[in-house]
Amino acid sequence: MELTRRDIIAALTAAGVSVGAGAMSFEMADSDGSSGELVSKTVSPVRRQDTTATEGLSEAVIDLLDAVAAVIYPSAVENRHEFVTRYTQARTANRPEYRQGIADTAAELDAVARDWHDTPYAAVNLVTADELLTNLGVNTADPVSDGTISEQIRYYLIDDLLYALYTTPTGGRLVGIENPAGHPGGTKSYQRADMTTDSTQ
């Protein structure tokens, strides 16, 4: 299922981010038109940086977030990279401390990947990326902003990406939620496809 401009707006609205007309430019076309990943790209290591003095997250951080999303999002999701990019940049635009937390946590995860596999996290294959998170104990960690590396990964990288996806109409349909929170789908969204009304009754 393809994530669209409508999904990005829905996710940002659910997260409490005001998205006015013309406030953001959405171009959902990707280089390969499928998973949202670029066809050919050199992945850079995530370096520690002071994001409070910048306007957004670095490309290396976005690539790492997309690699995390590739692990935790259903494989049926399309336009993932663009969705992650637009959502996280807008979500952190006016939250410098939160943006710094994401950048620092991304740098920590990337350092682990380079230490264990001699390559940036965004460059390892999907199986290795999944195993790395599992071996760090992220699956069972509580989301804590100032906790252990596993707890910070859960807080800054995992939970927000999952929340973003499943508050969208497309993400909701993937798990059987026809009307995600904050999405006015009307009475039709509550009706199962196999339910019919006999006009003679």
Side-chain angles (χ1 to χ4, degrees), residues 71 121 124-135 139:
V71 172
Y121 183 83
V124 302
N125 62 52
L126 187 61
V127 172
T128 301
D130 189 7
E131 289 177 346
L132 198 153
L133 293 177
T134 299
N135 291 336
N139 293 347

Side-chain angles (χ1 to χ4, degrees), residues 84-136:
V84 169
T85 301
R86 301 295 185 182
Y87 172 79
T88 53
Q89 294 288 27
R91 174 95 159 94
T92 61
N94 296 312
R95 303 177 66 192
E97 292 184 1
Y98 187 72
R99 185 168 65 239
Q100 187 66 53
I102 290 177
D104 289 346
T105 304
E108 290 281 358
L109 176 56
D110 201 61
V112 172
R114 286 184 280 117
D115 184 41
W116 291 2
H117 301 287
D118 198 31
T119 190
Y121 183 83
V124 302
N125 62 52
L126 187 61
V127 172
T128 301
D130 189 7
E131 289 177 346
L132 198 153
L133 293 177
T134 299
N135 291 336
L136 282 172

Side-chain angles (χ1 to χ4, degrees), residues 10-81:
L12 290 171
T13 300
V17 179
S18 177
V19 183
M24 296 181 67
S25 174
F26 296 106
E27 294 294 338
M28 294 304 297
D30 293 289
S31 298
D32 66 354
S34 56
S35 68
E37 296 180 273
L38 300 180
V39 174
S40 178
K41 181 176 182 178
T42 301
V43 176
S44 301
V46 178
R47 305 298 185 188
R48 288 193 175 277
Q49 64 178 116
D50 180 8
T51 67
T52 59
T54 63
E55 294 184 356
L57 296 166
S58 70
E59 184 177 359
V61 171
I62 292 296
D63 286 342
L64 182 140
L65 288 170
D66 180 54
V68 170
V71 172
I72 64 177
Y73 282 9
S75 59
V77 170
E78 299 178 357
N79 280 332
R80 186 193 67 242
H81 186 278

Side-chain angles (χ1 to χ4, degrees), residues 152-200:
Q152 291 181 55
I153 290 172
R154 188 81 200 192
Y155 181 87
Y156 285 110
L157 309 185
I158 302 290
D159 283 7
D160 200 38
L161 287 173
L162 287 175
Y163 180 81
L165 177 64
Y166 293 123
T167 53
T168 67
T170 298
R173 285 194 295 272
L174 284 170
V175 291
I177 305 173
E178 292 296 323
N179 194 24
H183 174 64
T187 57
K188 184 178 180 180
S189 65
Y190 295 99
Q191 298 172 352
R192 297 203 310 269
D194 60 348
M195 294 178 64
T196 58
T197 301
D198 187 345
S199 60
T200 63

